[in-house]
Amino acid sequence: MENGQLIFDQELFDEQMKKSGLLNSLSNPIFPIQTQFCFIHLTIQEFLAALHVTETYAPADMNEFITNHIRSGKWHLVLQFIAGLLGKKIKMFYRDYIECVLAFAKNCDVIHGKHNLNVNQVLVMKCLREVDDEEIVKDVCETTAMNDVVKLRVDGFHPSDSAAVMFVCKHMKNLTQLYFRNYADCFREFLQLLQKRCINILELMEGFGDKDKHIGAGPVFSALMKSHCTLNHKHTNLTFLMLHGVLLDDPGLSNMRAFFENGHAKHLEKFHFDLPLSPLSWREEMNYTAPLSAR
């Protein structure tokens, strides 16, 4: 993949590979009697590239490979495959490869305690998720720049990206401020996060739209009441809670009442809550005036 090659001469494949169903045969436009091959999907080639790296590279060489390719979008899926394969090797007691996992996180940029998530930063978290080892992720968060993250904003990512971020967030000891938007598609991971770590400032926004895309206030307050931080660190208390565009049904109202009446909000200094708005009511609230052409 280094040179972008997608079509290969038949000499590169043995008969077993040719019959595997993973290849498409192509006629050579220059030499019609010669058959060429390509993989039926690029993902297969990317996985085999990752397998080649993890099976033939020494840990030091793999560290260099990860560092050199992590900022190139072309290699993102290959790196995720590498992370998953590394996780399997480590579980088989190849502990030398833990340093390779650390190589992913060393490419995270933390500025003034704020982790500005971009494509590359999310990739790092997705790779850590692929390793699928809580203890290793915990070690990564404690020994890299991730330990300096105080504030994290998760806004507008694909559900699988958000789920990976939440998986890693559980182990960031100094993280005290969280902002999540449109988290309904990965609500299980989100609620687990609220239950397993303490947060000082929590802002949630569900926006407007289909009610099926809303978790609602009930599960959020339920998770906060069950919160028990599993991190070995200086614990913090929830002092700021903002719920914007969150549905409030009868169970939600009941859980919110229990949250306040049973002492879970005793440290809360500021609480902001507003119901979801339709696009029209949002425009009306903002004194929106439709242009003449739209009337």
Side-chain angles (χ1 to χ4, degrees), residues 91-102:
K91 288 175 183 176
M92 295 171 63
F93 305 105
Y94 292 97
R95 307 300 292 179
D96 292 344
Y97 289 94
I98 292 179
E99 284 295 322
C100 300
V101 177
L102 290 172

Side-chain angles (χ1 to χ4, degrees), residues 151 153 176-180 194 198-205 220-221 224 236-244 259-260 264-274:
K151 182 177 181 179
R153 183 183 183 94
T176 59
Q177 303 176 42
L178 273 175
Y179 173 92
F180 281 109
L194 292 186
C198 51
I199 291 294
N200 180 242
I201 296 175
L202 180 62
E203 298 185 35
L204 307 178
M205 178 181 289
V220 173
F221 282 110
L224 290 174
T236 186
N237 298 305
L238 185 65
T239 61
F240 179 96
L241 177 60
M242 173 180 172
L243 304 178
H244 178 67
F259 175 78
F260 282 96
H264 300 285
K266 61 183 178 182
H267 298 286
L268 203 61
E269 298 173 3
K270 185 174 182 180
F271 174 62
H272 176 88
F273 182 89
D274 58 56

Side-chain angles (χ1 to χ4, degrees), residues 159-188:
S160 63
D161 298 345
S162 297
V165 172
M166 294 176 195
F167 176 81
V168 177
C169 279
K170 291 184 295 185
H171 303 287
M172 292 180 174
K173 286 189 174 182
N174 292 311
L175 179 64
T176 59
Q177 303 176 42
L178 273 175
Y179 173 92
F180 281 109
R181 181 177 182 182
N182 297 334
Y183 46 86
D185 288 324
C186 49
F187 72 94
R188 288 185 178 86

Side-chain angles (χ1 to χ4, degrees), residues 14-31:
D14 58 24
E15 288 302 316
Q16 184 178 4
M17 188 64 179
K18 292 176 183 177
K19 296 177 181 179
S20 66
L22 301 177
L23 302 172
N24 278 328
S25 60
L26 307 168
S27 296
N28 190 321
I30 301 176
F31 302 102

Side-chain angles (χ1 to χ4, degrees), residues 139-157:
D139 186 49
V140 168
C141 289
E142 291 179 353
T143 58
T144 66
M146 285 187 171
N147 194 50
D148 300 326
V149 177
V150 176
K151 182 177 181 179
L152 190 65
R153 183 183 183 94
V154 185
D155 184 359
F157 293 111

